[in-house]
Amino acid sequence: MEEYTPKQILIFEGVMELLRQGRPLHELKVADIAEASGMGKSTAYEYFKSKDEILREALSYHMKEYFRQMVEFVFQAESLEGVLGNALEYLEESLEKRLPGIFLMMINETHEHSKTGPYMDPILKDRMEEMTTMELE
């Protein structure tokens, strides 16, 4: 699993905060993301080459975190009934709190590239495929 620095994670959280505020993904600038992250634009460029790379890594990070947290929570139960109950509880809470930002990122990505080609760049597409086919430990 990819390891991110604390500053990279702050940048990813900045992206998510801007999306929660209703900012369209395609209108975000690195300066906006850096400001929402509490750092300067030059610091963001120390970690990422472009806005597209920031957005790709942010989506990848948030999806991995969502799956990690879900698995951790769901499998705390000691019975099948408990696992299923935890899964339903987690999904319900996710619809209210966790997933909207991730879905906003994906929807915006889809909208932004709908006229120019695939909605995900090849690296993000590969990562999404890895996440959906990974074995649970």
Side-chain angles (χ1 to χ4, degrees):
M1 180 181 260
E2 178 101 22
E3 292 292 325
Y4 297 105
T5 68
K7 286 189 179 182
Q8 287 174 310
I9 293 170
L10 284 174
I11 291 169
F12 303 153
E13 294 299 335
V15 169
M16 194 62 71
E17 179 57 33
L18 292 170
L19 293 174
R20 285 186 194 111
Q21 292 172 9
R23 302 279 300 275
L25 190 67
H26 64 279
E27 292 179 10
L28 295 182
K29 295 178 177 20
V30 174
D32 300 328
I33 296 167
E35 183 179 333
S37 306
M39 62 186 70
K41 181 177 162 181
S42 61
T43 303
Y45 278 117
E46 288 176 25
Y47 292 96
F48 302 101
K49 296 175 188 168
S50 66
K51 178 183 93 166
D52 287 341
E53 183 180 8
I54 291 171
L55 298 177
R56 177 181 61 233
E57 293 300 322
L59 179 57
S60 180
Y61 169 78
H62 284 290
M63 289 296 294
K64 286 176 187 175
E65 274 301 295
Y66 171 79
F67 286 125
R68 184 193 63 74
Q69 290 171 6
M70 180 184 70
V71 167
E72 185 178 294
F73 180 78
V74 167
F75 291 103
Q76 288 176 3
E78 296 181 13
S79 68
L80 178 59
E81 183 178 280
V83 167
L84 294 175
N86 282 358
L88 290 173
E89 180 182 336
Y90 194 87
L91 290 173
E92 182 178 25
E93 186 178 318
S94 291
L95 291 174
E96 296 171 8
K97 297 178 183 175
R98 292 185 189 94
L99 287 181
I102 295 170
F103 285 136
L104 278 172
M105 289 177 80
M106 293 180 77
I107 288 167
N108 277 314
E109 181 75 4
T110 301
H111 175 71
E112 181 179 355
H113 292 94
S114 62
K115 296 177 183 148
T116 60
Y119 69 96
M120 285 188 204
D121 72 10
I123 296 170
L124 181 57
K125 187 175 179 184
D126 289 345
R127 287 192 184 167
M128 297 296 285
E129 194 170 306
E130 286 173 16
M131 283 187 273
T132 58
T133 59
M134 69 182 182
E135 292 183 30
L136 300 177
E137 296 176 0

